[in-house]
Amino acid sequence: MVSIEQNDDNRVDDHVDEEIINCLDLERPKSFFLFAGAGSGKTKSLVTALNKIRENNYEQLRLKGQRVAVITYTNAACEEIGRRLDHDPLFSVSTIHSFVWELIKGFDKDIKEWLYSNLKKQITDLEEEQGKGRPTSKAYADRQKSIEVKNKRIINLENIKRFTYNPNGLNQDKESLNHSEVINIGAYFLKNKSLLQKILISKFPILLVDESQDTNKDLIDALFEVEQRNRGVFSLGLFGDTMQRIYSDGKVDLGNNLPESWKKPVKKMNHRCPPRIIKLINKIRSVVDEQEQRARTDKEEGFAHFFIFPLSADRITAEKLVTERMAEITGDQKWLDANAAYTSLTLEHHMAATRLGFSELFKPLYKTDRLRTGLLEGSLPELNFFTEIVLPIIDAIKIGDKFAIARIARKHSPLLRINRDEKEQLLQIKNAEEAINQLSLLWSENKDPLCIDVIKCVAELNLFDIPDSLYPFAYQPLMQSETVDDETSDDQDKENDVLDSWGECLKAPFSQIKAYASYINGTSKFMTHQGVKGLEFPRVMVIIDDSSAGGFLFSYEKLFGAKEKTKTDVENELAGRDSTIHRTRRLFYVTCSRATESLAIVAYSEKPEAVKKHVIEEGWFEENEVEVLL
């Protein structure tokens, strides 16, 4: 039986749903930004609004051949929303990459012009850097490789009539666009081509963007421009929470300085977390904005405890001790479950990479801005080459699954491309079988080959098509780093150069590919904020360990008062730019807000007592909720 209080909880945000529905009136459409904090029932509000559109405007939209577009962040979210809407074709529910590709595909001449111009600019920038660099440095050699790859692609452009793209695929063919290109082209076309704007508006008079704070800022800016030029005939609805922005390419100030005509509804309830955890996350964000969530009246109080260890502590022993203490504190023996009935969330990916054993693969790519987002999303074509082709075929070889081996080879191997000559087909099959056997020898006698050895072997055998960006490594030995003679520009290049990062990554043992794949696919015990977006767990252990993270974007020691802000931190904050502490606070907020029953924070610090003092003074925890364990 539902209590009166529970009914009141459910009705608190009813006015928000009504406000959104009013914005989606096709006769008088308005745009809006919905603040929807952690556990606020954002998807429920989205589906409620869509069902109302179906009820009120189905025939009107159908007769005009129009649909309502919904952009979500993941395929899983697409499936969930589609299921709740009975997969009604009135609604186009897709990821951002799929949506943009549907808009721009077919504009092949314009895409070719954009690519040519973009590649030329990249080459010019690289050549300018070459003029400043030393020909004997590794950075110089890597830039030269990059120039060659880009020039090769420009030459290939001349023969391309039609471009292709698969949002969930490897996109290795010469005609393929990569993920970032699709987004960049879409943003540019929407801003500069009135025809594409007209196509968008005529197809989709209503466009709703979920997790808008993490949608590429250039694309969001382009959609703002479309809305501004088509106000009164187009509704743009953004769902999100700037406190939960976790990707670097999201729009920093989304939700601020919106046009006067925009509606700004706010959801107050948090239906996920117990009161104790809501009190914590409200305190964490209180210095950022005035948004404060309410707890449900039918939720038990819940638990939030903070455990601090010195840096010298053994991590496995420490975290086992925390599970024992949480079982005592909560009376919940599932904290001790041998099958890990709690979820460990690492606020920094390096921590999971270290614990799961794929650091050598991960670190070089993570430090490179252009690769970081794809690495965390699992969308880098180069890594997908390993995880979706090489790894499955090696796993199939190990268990003797001939059907799987044949399926993968037929789908991906150039040795088995269709040939009408029967004798040649038989020869191709024989060559493919021999190549697969040769490849499998790299793992004989329980060997663990390096990724570079796998790439070279595949290339030599012509077994699979190598991604363009790995082509230089497939046919040349890995170059050893050389002394740069204190040349500043080359030092900067080393930090940011994509080819240099791939060169380091390929030195990792192939076994790290499997560990990375398990992490990205969510089959490992460890997850991070990226992996848990929109998810929830009864028991959550948040592990905070700057010394293991190895990153430079976040600092929990600063957030927890164990380290002073740097001059750069202060300058960034005064200028309104994103800072280390801002980024870290958001990550902390997102992770803490996953727990539905109990939350354990495990921090490893240089100054345990200083951390304890700080979190108590901040009002995050009571003194009896903080333990320093030596």
Side-chain angles (χ1 to χ4, degrees):
M1 183 175 179
V2 179
S3 68
I4 293 173
E5 291 84 356
Q6 187 174 341
N7 277 326
D8 288 342
D9 290 339
N10 289 330
R11 287 200 297 264
V12 166
D13 291 328
D14 281 356
H15 71 284
V16 172
D17 292 348
E18 292 168 10
E19 196 168 351
I20 293 171
I21 290 166
N22 289 336
C23 288
L24 304 181
D25 180 351
L26 291 177
E27 302 303 320
R28 294 175 297 279
K30 295 184 179 66
S31 296
F32 65 88
F33 176 84
L34 169 67
F35 165 77
S40 62
K42 169 172 52 72
T43 303
K44 180 176 178 293
S45 290
L46 175 60
V47 171
T48 297
L50 293 171
N51 278 325
K52 199 66 178 178
I53 292 171
R54 176 162 52 187
E55 181 183 326
N56 294 340
N57 305 108
Y58 184 86
E59 283 301 317
Q60 181 181 351
L61 289 166
R62 188 182 65 82
L63 289 172
K64 290 184 177 181
Q66 294 178 320
R67 305 170 75 195
V68 176
V70 182
I71 296 172
T72 68
Y73 210 79
T74 65
N75 288 322
C78 288
E79 178 56 33
E80 174 62 18
I81 293 171
R83 183 187 64 78
R84 293 197 198 187
L85 295 169
D86 305 315
H87 298 287
D88 192 326
L90 180 69
F91 306 109
S92 170
V93 186
S94 61
T95 63
I96 189 69
H97 290 88
S98 297
F99 177 79
V100 173
W101 174 241
E102 286 302 313
L103 277 180
I104 67 172
K105 74 177 182 181
F107 286 82
D108 297 296
K109 181 175 179 293
D110 301 279
I111 291 172
K112 184 182 291 190
E113 289 174 357
W114 185 94
L115 284 171
Y116 181 86
S117 175
N118 185 257
L119 288 166
K120 278 290 187 183
K121 182 181 183 305
Q122 291 180 39
I123 291 170
T124 298
D125 291 344
L126 286 167
E127 287 177 340
E128 286 180 4
E129 287 299 312
Q130 288 295 69
K132 305 172 189 175
R134 294 183 184 277
T136 56
S137 72
K138 184 176 185 299
Y140 187 98
D142 284 347
R143 277 195 301 268
Q144 193 59 43
K145 288 181 193 175
S146 187
I147 290 170
E148 290 170 7
V149 168
K150 294 179 192 306
N151 274 319
K152 177 185 172 187
R153 194 169 182 206
I154 285 177
I155 293 170
N156 289 334
L157 282 178
E158 297 176 9
N159 300 317
I160 295 175
K161 304 297 182 187
R162 180 173 174 271
F163 289 93
T164 62
Y165 172 69
N166 181 350
N168 304 308
L170 297 176
N171 298 303
Q172 289 178 226
D173 297 334
K174 293 180 176 63
E175 300 84 6
S176 296
L177 301 175
N178 63 43
H179 302 298
S180 62
E181 285 171 345
V182 167
I183 296 298
N184 291 334
I185 292 169
Y188 180 83
F189 283 9
L190 281 171
K191 278 188 173 182
N192 296 281
K193 295 186 181 297
S194 58
L195 175 59
L196 194 66
Q197 289 194 11
K198 290 176 183 176
I199 290 172
L200 172 61
I201 302 304
S202 63
K203 279 186 173 183
F204 306 109
I206 296 172
L207 171 58
L208 306 179
V209 183
D210 193 14
E211 303 288 2
S212 56
Q213 75 277 355
D214 275 320
T215 303
N216 179 275
K217 55 182 173 290
D218 294 329
L219 188 60
I220 285 289
D221 285 340
L223 291 175
F224 273 126
E225 196 159 321
V226 172
E227 191 276 339
Q228 190 272 329
R229 293 182 186 179
N230 296 276
R231 196 162 291 161
V233 295
F234 174 65
S235 175
L236 175 62
L238 306 179
F239 293 70
D241 175 11
T242 52
M243 192 66 184
Q244 297 188 71
R245 181 170 64 85
I246 57 178
Y247 289 114
S248 59
D249 61 350
K251 189 170 175 62
V252 173
D253 57 351
L254 185 65
N256 297 333
N257 304 315
L258 291 171
E260 292 265 342
S261 60
W262 278 56
K263 297 297 181 181
K264 308 169 191 67
V266 175
K267 300 201 77 172
K268 290 289 186 183
M269 292 298 298
N270 181 320
H271 299 279
R272 174 191 300 150
C273 304
R276 176 62 193 94
I277 295 172
I278 292 174
K279 180 183 176 183
L280 169 63
I281 61 177
N282 281 341
K283 273 288 185 182
I284 292 170
R285 80 178 297 160
S286 61
V287 299
V288 176
D289 57 32
E290 297 178 355
Q291 300 292 355
E292 189 169 293
Q293 290 187 297
R294 286 173 49 180
R296 293 181 63 96
T297 55
D298 60 346
K299 283 269 192 180
E300 297 203 9
E301 182 64 15
F303 300 88
H305 278 254
F306 200 103
F307 302 90
I308 314 166
F309 293 88
L311 291 179
S312 58
D314 177 78
R315 274 45 175 174
I316 294 174
T317 303
E319 286 151 33
K320 183 175 184 297
L321 176 58
V322 169
T323 63
E324 292 169 355
R325 286 291 296 125
M326 286 301 291
E328 291 174 17
I329 292 165
T330 64
D332 182 359
Q333 295 304 301
K334 288 187 177 179
W335 273 100
L336 298 175
D337 195 311
N339 295 320
Y342 65 91
T343 303
S344 296
L345 303 183
T346 58
L347 287 172
E348 226 292 338
H349 294 275
H350 285 281
M351 295 158 62
T354 298
R355 290 161 191 258
L356 290 172
F358 60 93
S359 289
E360 294 167 89
L361 178 87
F362 183 88
K363 287 181 179 179
L365 305 181
Y366 186 80
K367 73 180 181 183
T368 306
D369 289 341
R370 287 171 53 195
L371 299 174
R372 187 179 302 118
T373 298
L375 172 70
L376 303 181
E377 290 177 345
S379 61
L380 288 178
E382 298 85 354
L383 287 184
N384 289 346
F385 168 80
F386 286 108
T387 60
E388 296 179 16
I389 298 178
V390 182
L391 179 60
I393 206 165
I394 294 303
D395 283 347
I397 289 169
K398 288 179 179 178
I399 63 173
D401 188 342
K402 294 182 179 179
F403 176 79
I405 296 169
R407 176 176 51 78
I408 296 166
R410 284 196 201 97
K411 184 176 181 181
H412 298 289
S413 179
L415 295 176
L416 293 177
R417 300 240 162 99
I418 297 173
N419 192 314
R420 293 182 180 179
D421 188 304
E422 187 174 337
K423 288 184 178 179
E424 280 200 40
Q425 280 186 341
L426 292 173
L427 181 60
Q428 285 176 318
I429 292 171
K430 183 180 178 183
N431 289 341
E433 289 175 348
E434 289 178 357
I436 291 168
N437 288 334
Q438 285 293 315
L439 177 65
S440 69
L441 292 177
L442 293 177
W443 285 266
S444 64
E445 300 178 356
N446 295 318
K447 292 176 184 173
D448 188 6
L450 302 182
C451 292
I452 183 65
D453 295 329
V454 175
I455 278 283
K456 287 181 176 180
C457 182
V458 169
E460 183 180 347
L461 297 168
N462 193 30
L463 182 55
F464 303 117
D465 292 324
I466 303 295
D468 281 349
S469 51
L470 298 185
Y471 187 88
F473 304 106
Y475 299 100
Q476 296 178 18
L478 276 180
M479 298 183 67
Q480 297 300 314
S481 297
E482 298 177 21
T483 303
V484 187
D485 297 330
D486 299 321
E487 187 182 352
T488 304
S489 61
D490 276 354
D491 284 338
Q492 293 169 344
D493 285 339
K494 279 191 169 185
E495 185 69 21
N496 300 303
D497 184 75
V498 171
L499 279 175
D500 186 47
S501 296
W502 282 117
E504 289 299 311
C505 169
L506 292 174
K507 295 175 184 177
F510 185 83
S511 58
Q512 295 194 15
I513 291 288
K514 190 160 192 169
Y516 166 76
S518 73
Y519 179 61
I520 289 300
N521 295 333
T523 57
S524 71
K525 173 184 173 181
F526 292 93
M527 302 182 77
T528 66
H529 49 270
Q530 279 85 356
V532 299
K533 182 186 280 285
L535 301 179
E536 57 187 49
F537 311 94
R539 291 158 292 279
V540 172
M541 179 188 291
V542 178
I543 302 170
I544 296 169
D545 189 355
D546 282 355
S547 64
S548 295
F552 52 88
L553 291 174
F554 315 110
S555 173
Y556 307 101
E557 290 282 70
K558 289 180 185 177
L559 182 66
F560 296 153
K563 282 186 178 178
E564 294 294 324
K565 296 178 184 179
T566 65
K567 181 183 176 183
T568 302
D569 292 329
V570 174
E571 289 173 352
N572 283 338
E573 289 179 357
L574 289 174
R577 293 190 293 266
D578 212 14
S579 70
T580 299
I581 292 179
H582 289 157
R583 286 190 293 267
T584 308
R585 185 182 295 272
R586 291 197 304 270
L587 294 171
F588 190 48
Y589 175 91
V590 168
T591 314
C592 289
S593 62
R594 300 304 101 192
T596 64
E597 295 178 15
S598 55
L599 171 69
I601 311 296
V602 183
Y604 300 94
S605 175
E606 290 181 352
K607 300 177 181 178
E609 290 296 339
V611 171
K612 177 178 179 178
K613 182 173 182 288
H614 185 82
V615 300
I616 293 172
E617 287 179 350
E618 288 290 307
W620 295 352
F621 294 89
E622 300 295 331
E623 188 157 359
N624 65 349
E625 294 175 322
V626 183
E627 297 183 36
V628 176
L629 302 170
L630 301 176

